[in-house]
Amino acid sequence: MMVDILCGVLSGGGYSSFIGGGRNMSFAMAIDIGAFRPVDEFKEMMDEMIRALHESPTEPGADRVMVAGDPEEEAMKDRTTNGVPILQARYDEIVGIAQRVGAEVLI
């Protein structure tokens, strides 16, 4: 609900099912943690919270509890090791363009 309020209602772009097709509203906010408390203490407590969440029991069928950033970290590790996945059709298109303009195919 908070995302709908900050991104949709605040921007005037709509919310939930009332967003017009093809519209994308955004909201960005920067917080100076140091204005509230020492940053190192904040980071320590965040690490504790993440550890507690990761150690939480999972729902049936789930491997583990994930927090924001976990899927992105896994994708980064996988892509660093295995490369960025690309559809064969897109690869063929890139190779075709490179060949057409006489560029060396590096992928």
Side-chain angles (χ1 to χ4, degrees):
M1 177 156 185
M2 186 57 70
V3 172
D4 266 343
I5 294 167
L6 295 175
C7 295
V9 178
L10 186 62
S11 72
Y15 58 93
S16 299
S17 61
F18 300 103
I19 296 175
R23 298 188 72 182
N24 182 8
M25 284 65 65
S26 299
F27 174 80
M29 177 172 55
I31 298 174
D32 179 4
I33 295 166
F36 293 89
R37 63 184 300 195
V39 174
D40 288 341
E41 289 178 12
F42 169 83
K43 288 180 178 183
E44 185 178 324
M45 188 177 280
M46 278 302 306
D47 288 344
E48 289 173 16
M49 183 176 119
I50 291 168
R51 261 191 308 279
L53 289 168
H54 281 156
E55 293 170 0
S56 298
T58 62
E59 290 288 321
D63 295 332
R64 63 190 178 105
V65 173
M66 298 178 82
V67 299
D70 284 347
E72 294 82 1
E73 184 177 355
E74 286 182 3
M76 177 65 81
K77 287 177 183 174
D78 178 65
R79 290 175 180 180
T80 299
T81 302
N82 302 310
V84 178
I86 184 170
L87 295 172
Q88 186 65 46
R90 190 66 53 232
Y91 175 81
D92 294 342
E93 181 182 1
I94 293 168
V95 169
I97 292 169
Q99 290 172 339
R100 194 167 55 249
V101 299
E104 182 181 0
V105 177
L106 301 173
I107 63 169

